[in-house]
Amino acid sequence: MGPNPTLTLVRGRTYTFAISTSGSHPFRILSTGVVNNDISSGTITYTVPNLATNYTYECSVHHFNGSIITIAPPVPPSPRILKLTLGTNIALKFTGSNAFSYFPEFNTNLTSTNWFALTVQS
């Protein structure tokens, strides 16, 4: 009843739709990445393509449709250094997620001019 809503979905993410319509109104998503498409009852799984493209969903019998707008995934926040400790070892404490890594390149004895590759410790 009424206009079909516009769906806003994040590119690259997977969504699960529980479908329960009459047999004369099967639900179909007009896109790649759909599993169990064009059904009246059951579950459709949709992995939104990474392309910056919009798609359509519809009743595959009557072609009543709605729009699927795709958006880029959110950018993760940048880490913020909370504490830097210098001594025999260098300790760096920061905020952020586990989705990024830092790889130090060199260490040195400050009384020497010889530089050595660091061993990464967590």
Side-chain angles (χ1 to χ4, degrees), residues 15-44:
Y15 296 85
T16 302
F17 297 92
I19 306 300
S20 179
T21 68
S22 72
S24 63
H25 296 289
F27 185 85
R28 175 171 60 186
I29 297 174
L30 302 173
S31 172
T32 60
V34 186
V35 175
N36 205 26
N37 208 5
D38 200 11
I39 61 172
S40 297
S41 179
T43 301
I44 291 178

Side-chain angles (χ1 to χ4, degrees), residues 22-120:
S22 72
S24 63
H25 296 289
F27 185 85
R28 175 171 60 186
I29 297 174
L30 302 173
S31 172
T32 60
V34 186
V35 175
N36 205 26
N37 208 5
D38 200 11
I39 61 172
S40 297
S41 179
T43 301
I44 291 178
T45 303
Y46 178 39
T47 301
V48 181
N50 286 315
L51 301 171
T53 303
N54 297 322
Y55 301 96
T56 303
Y57 66 90
E58 69 175 6
C59 163
S60 61
V61 173
H62 302 101
H63 304 289
F64 301 126
N65 60 47
S67 297
I68 298 173
I69 306 299
T70 67
I71 60 173
V75 176
S78 297
R80 187 172 62 92
I81 295 175
L82 298 177
K83 183 177 180 182
L84 175 64
T85 306
L86 301 173
T88 304
N89 294 311
I90 297 174
L92 179 63
K93 183 177 180 182
F94 55 90
T95 63
S97 70
N98 293 330
F100 60 88
S101 300
Y102 291 102
F103 297 100
E105 290 186 46
F106 301 99
N107 74 347
T108 186
N109 176 337
L110 294 177
T111 62
S112 170
T113 58
N114 295 325
W115 290 74
F116 305 95
L118 286 175
T119 302
V120 177

